[in-house]
Amino acid sequence: MHNYGSGPCETMLGYDNVEVGNLMAKQQPLWEIVRHNIPVLNKAKFAAIVGIGPKFGYKSEQKTLLMNYHIDEFSICLGREAGSNGFLTWGPTAKALEKEQMISAKVYGEHHWATKMKKVYIDKGEERGDVCPQGCAAIIDSGTSLIAAPRTALTMLAEQLGAVKEDCSNFHELPNLRLSLDGHDFELPPRAYVMRMKGAQLEADDIWDLLFFRPKIRKTEQCMPAFMEMNMRTQMGEMWILGMPFFREFHTTFDRQNQVMNFAKAGPDCEPLPLVTKTEKEVTKEKEVTKEAKKEVTKEATKEATKEATKEATKEIKDTKHEVKDTKEAMLLAADPSASRPLEVDVQELIPPRLSLWYDISQDKDLQI
C-alpha cells in the first residue's frame, strides 16, 4: 500500500527493463498500481510516474532509475507556448554558461528537490508584506501543473495582487511575483502565474476545487492566477511547490552529486541563458561608486544646493527608469509573443500538487521532504 497526497493505492513490486533513448536499466524495481483511489489517474495521459529525486525513494534502499543510469545531473525546461515542447536532458548541461552566470540553491530535501524560500510578495514598486515570513520549503517539481501554496499565503497574495479580470483585459497591468530561494531573488512575470482556463464542461470537480482563485461560475476562456491550494507542513516550514510555470521561466539543472539546483534564464527554445549577467554586476559596481561620490558631494555642498541637486538627480533617475522599463518591455514583447498573454491551460489535464508526495498514513507529523 502506498499513500500519496492525492489518495491511497494498492501496489505490487515488480521488475522490468526500462529504456530511455540509448540508456537501459535492467530489472529496474517498480511498483505497479493494482487498485487506487486517485481520481486524476483515471483520465491521465501518462502511463507511469518516474521518480528522479535527489536520493533514494521514501523508506527505500532500492536503486532509482537515475542511479541505474549512472546519471548525477539532468536539466528540465518547458516551452512557454501552449502545446510547445519541453526538454528533459540527461547528463551535464552544456558548458555554455559560466557558473557565476547561474544561480545555485542548496538542496535541503532528502526525498524531493527542496530548498529554503522566503520574501514572497507581489511587486508593486516596493517590498510588500512577506507571505512566508517564517521561511518556507519550496519543492521544485516538474510533475505539478501549477504553483501550490498554503491557504494563508494565497489569501495574502490575493490582497496584494488585486483583481485579475476574467477576460484577461488587465493582464498587461499585472505586477511580477517575487520570491527568494536559498537567499537568491527570483521574479515571475504575469505570464508565469496567470492562466487562461479552457474546458468549461468539467467533470473533474476535485481538480477544480483545488484552484484557489476559481470563480463561482465556470466559463470558457477565463483568466485566473495559476495557484492550487495545499496545506502541508515540513521540517522547514509550510510547503510550496513551484511546478511547471517555474520551468517555463527558468532552465533548471539538478545536480545529485553536489546536492544543488542551478538556475538559468530559459530562452525562446529552452536554451539556458545567463540569469546573472556581467552587465548587471558592472551596473551594481557603478551604483556603489555613484553612491560614494554622492556622499562626497553632499559633504561639500550647502543644504540648499544639496536639496536642488537631489531633486534633479531624482528626476533624472525616474526618467531613466521609465525609459529602461519601456525599452525592456518593448524588447521583451518583440522577442517573445508569450510575454503579452497568459498561459492556456485545460483544467482536465491538470496534475494535482500532491500526486508524488508520499507519506505515512499518520499525518500528525510534518512531511519529511
Side-chain angles (χ1 to χ4, degrees):
M1 177 71 74
H2 284 68
N3 291 280
Y4 292 91
S6 299
C9 57
E10 185 177 333
T11 56
M12 180 177 65
L13 179 62
Y15 300 86
D16 202 351
N17 295 338
V18 181
E19 297 181 48
V20 177
N22 59 354
L23 300 174
M24 174 184 281
K26 294 184 177 180
Q27 294 300 295
Q28 172 67 41
L30 53 86
W31 291 96
E32 180 181 354
I33 297 178
V34 181
R35 281 182 290 274
H36 69 83
N37 188 23
I38 304 178
V40 69
L41 294 182
N42 294 327
K43 297 183 179 181
K45 294 184 178 180
F46 52 84
I49 301 172
V50 179
I52 48 177
K55 298 179 182 178
F56 285 97
Y58 185 69
K59 288 189 175 180
S60 173
E61 294 184 359
Q62 295 172 334
K63 285 189 175 182
T64 65
L65 189 64
L66 290 181
M67 292 176 182
N68 285 328
Y69 281 165
H70 305 290
I71 291 175
D72 290 326
E73 189 176 342
F74 63 95
S75 61
I76 296 176
C77 180
L78 301 177
R80 294 193 183 116
E81 293 286 348
S84 58
N85 292 328
F87 298 88
L88 167 61
T89 305
W90 300 110
T93 304
K95 303 297 183 181
L97 298 180
E98 299 176 8
K99 187 175 181 181
E100 56 267 24
Q101 292 178 303
M102 305 177 75
I103 289 179
S104 297
K106 181 181 177 181
V107 175
Y108 295 90
E110 289 289 326
H111 314 297
H112 300 277
W113 294 98
T115 191
K116 295 178 180 179
M117 183 175 72
K118 60 181 180 179
K119 290 200 302 184
V120 183
Y121 64 97
I122 297 294
D123 184 9
K124 290 188 175 180
E126 59 182 13
E127 186 170 334
R128 309 274 294 188
D130 184 0
V131 305
C132 185
Q134 304 302 320
C136 298
I139 295 178
I140 314 300
D141 178 34
S142 61
T144 299
S145 295
L146 306 178
I147 298 173
R151 170 177 284 273
T152 52
L154 292 178
T155 300
M156 294 173 66
L157 280 181
E159 293 176 356
Q160 295 181 12
L161 178 60
V164 175
K165 295 184 179 180
E166 291 183 16
D167 62 358
C168 307
S169 59
N170 68 334
F171 176 79
H172 64 286
E173 301 172 356
L174 297 175
N176 293 332
L177 172 65
R178 288 185 174 274
L179 53 88
S180 175
L181 296 177
D182 201 28
H184 302 283
D185 293 335
F186 288 77
E187 188 175 77
L188 292 176
R191 68 184 178 199
Y193 71 83
V194 175
M195 60 183 175
R196 188 195 303 272
M197 186 62 73
K198 299 169 61 180
Q201 303 302 320
L202 304 176
E203 297 177 9
D205 288 343
D206 56 316
I207 299 297
W208 179 262
D209 289 340
L210 287 173
L211 300 176
F212 183 79
F213 291 89
R214 63 186 182 277
K216 293 181 179 179
I217 301 176
R218 308 180 190 184
K219 304 175 184 177
T220 56
E221 303 297 318
Q222 58 184 332
C223 272
M224 69 182 76
F227 292 92
M228 288 178 168
E229 181 182 340
M230 180 189 62
N231 300 294
M232 301 184 78
R233 286 197 59 82
T234 73
Q235 69 270 34
M236 297 192 303
E238 291 186 314
M239 185 170 70
W240 288 55
I241 297 181
L242 302 181
M244 296 180 186
F246 188 85
F247 291 94
R248 294 187 177 97
E249 297 297 322
F250 302 103
H251 180 286
T252 305
T253 301
F254 301 88
D255 188 335
R256 291 180 56 248
Q257 186 173 12
N258 297 307
Q259 291 295 290
V260 296
M261 294 178 284
N262 296 311
F263 306 103
K265 183 178 177 61
D269 297 317
C270 262
E271 69 276 17
L273 299 177
L275 191 55
V276 179
T277 65
K278 292 181 179 179
T279 303
E280 288 172 345
K281 289 182 179 180
E282 291 170 359
V283 168
T284 302
K285 188 175 180 179
E286 288 175 1
K287 284 182 179 179
E288 291 175 353
V289 172
T290 303
K291 188 176 180 181
E292 291 300 321
K294 283 183 177 180
K295 286 182 180 179
E296 294 299 322
V297 171
T298 303
K299 290 178 182 178
E300 299 294 332
T302 64
K303 185 177 181 180
E304 195 61 34
T306 302
K307 191 180 293 184
E308 290 299 320
T310 302
K311 285 182 181 179
E312 290 297 323
T314 302
K315 185 177 182 300
E316 289 179 8
I317 290 172
K318 285 183 178 179
D319 293 341
T320 303
K321 281 185 176 179
H322 285 304
E323 291 176 6
V324 171
K325 183 179 179 182
D326 292 341
T327 303
K328 281 185 175 179
E329 288 179 351
M331 291 174 64
L332 185 61
L333 291 173
D336 188 356
S338 67
S340 61
R341 58 178 179 267
L343 178 71
E344 292 188 355
V345 175
D346 189 331
V347 70
Q348 299 192 50
E349 296 181 359
L350 292 179
I351 302 173
R354 293 170 291 177
L355 181 62
S356 60
L357 299 179
W358 181 13
Y359 48 78
D360 291 327
I361 296 178
S362 173
Q363 297 183 42
D364 57 348
K365 299 179 180 179
D366 290 347
L367 176 71
Q368 296 298 306
I369 58 174

